[in-house]
Amino acid sequence: MSNDPNISMEQLLVLEYEHIKDEQKARIGFRDNLLYATLASMAGVVALSIDPETRAALLLLPPVSLLLGWTYLINDEKISAIGRYIREQIGPRLAVLQSDREKVFGWESAHRSDPRRTVRKQIQLGVDLIAFCGAPLAALVVYWVGTPGGPLLITVSVLEALCTAVLAWQIVMYADLGRSHPHLQAS
């Protein structure tokens, strides 16, 4: 971070905080744009599959949603992990170095104590499930109800449904609905 041998531990921790917050901001922007990319991809696949002759194009929606959904999920988890690291590592270490021992980086914890946070996180979970899992499953149902292709395409579609279910499970597991993230604390 710095080649200056006279840099204090406080300065080093603040520098780490600034760098890690920059990474968090970049990840937030990237994550949020993934939702738009998913919607655009879905629109393209649906437009392509309107014609009954190209109905099999609906099978493109699950892999696209899985790829973008997984990337969204991983970035969202890293954003949360950065906040956890600041709350549990950087903040307490810096507070110990402060003469007045006041809590530092209070926003990292304060915004999590909002009484409406859990409802917002539940709604976000619903939105994530609809965007990354509901739409691909709906595409598969439309494909199956129509005139599905031969055994190979039906097998592919069933595998896509299973992969989508796994993504849904992961989205629920990482939802961070409470004030803490107990199942991820050990990692």
Side-chain angles (χ1 to χ4, degrees):
M1 290 187 178
S2 173
N3 292 332
D4 183 358
N6 297 322
I7 192 166
S8 72
M9 183 54 76
E10 283 179 8
Q11 292 169 318
L12 194 58
L13 287 170
V14 169
L15 225 121
E16 181 180 18
Y17 171 78
E18 290 171 353
H19 284 279
I20 195 169
K21 285 304 279 187
D22 287 343
E23 178 183 345
Q24 189 181 47
K25 284 185 259 183
R27 284 184 178 278
I28 288 169
F30 182 72
R31 178 202 59 194
D32 293 352
N33 284 326
L34 283 169
L35 194 53
Y36 301 125
T38 301
L39 294 174
S41 300
M42 287 178 182
V45 168
V46 168
L48 183 63
S49 64
I50 295 285
D51 183 0
E53 294 292 319
T54 58
R55 181 84 24 127
L58 286 172
L59 295 180
L60 295 172
L61 195 56
V64 167
S65 295
L66 288 169
L67 175 70
L68 294 171
W70 183 253
T71 306
Y72 178 94
L73 178 63
I74 293 304
N75 269 283
D76 190 59
E77 195 284 322
K78 294 301 177 209
I79 291 164
S80 295
I82 288 169
R84 231 178 2 265
Y85 180 73
I86 291 168
R87 282 190 310 278
E88 297 172 6
Q89 300 294 322
I90 297 176
R93 288 173 61 200
L94 194 54
V96 166
L97 296 172
Q98 295 290 315
S99 58
D100 57 11
R101 300 285 195 263
E102 267 190 52
K103 188 172 187 175
V104 293
F105 308 131
W107 173 249
E108 298 294 335
S109 297
H111 76 279
R112 296 179 62 80
S113 64
D114 178 358
R116 294 180 301 268
R117 179 183 186 277
T118 301
V119 171
R120 277 195 316 274
K121 293 298 279 185
Q122 290 168 341
I123 292 169
Q124 185 63 52
L125 172 60
V127 168
D128 293 347
L129 287 171
I130 290 168
F132 297 112
C133 303
L137 289 176
L140 290 172
V141 168
V142 169
Y143 176 74
W144 291 328
V145 168
T147 51
L152 178 63
L153 289 180
I154 291 173
T155 301
V156 166
S157 70
V158 169
L159 289 173
E160 289 177 345
L162 291 172
C163 290
T164 302
V166 169
L167 178 62
W169 170 60
Q170 289 295 297
I171 289 172
V172 170
M173 291 298 296
Y174 282 94
D176 190 16
L177 296 175
R179 294 196 173 143
S180 64
H181 216 250
H183 67 278
L184 296 176
Q185 292 295 332
S187 59

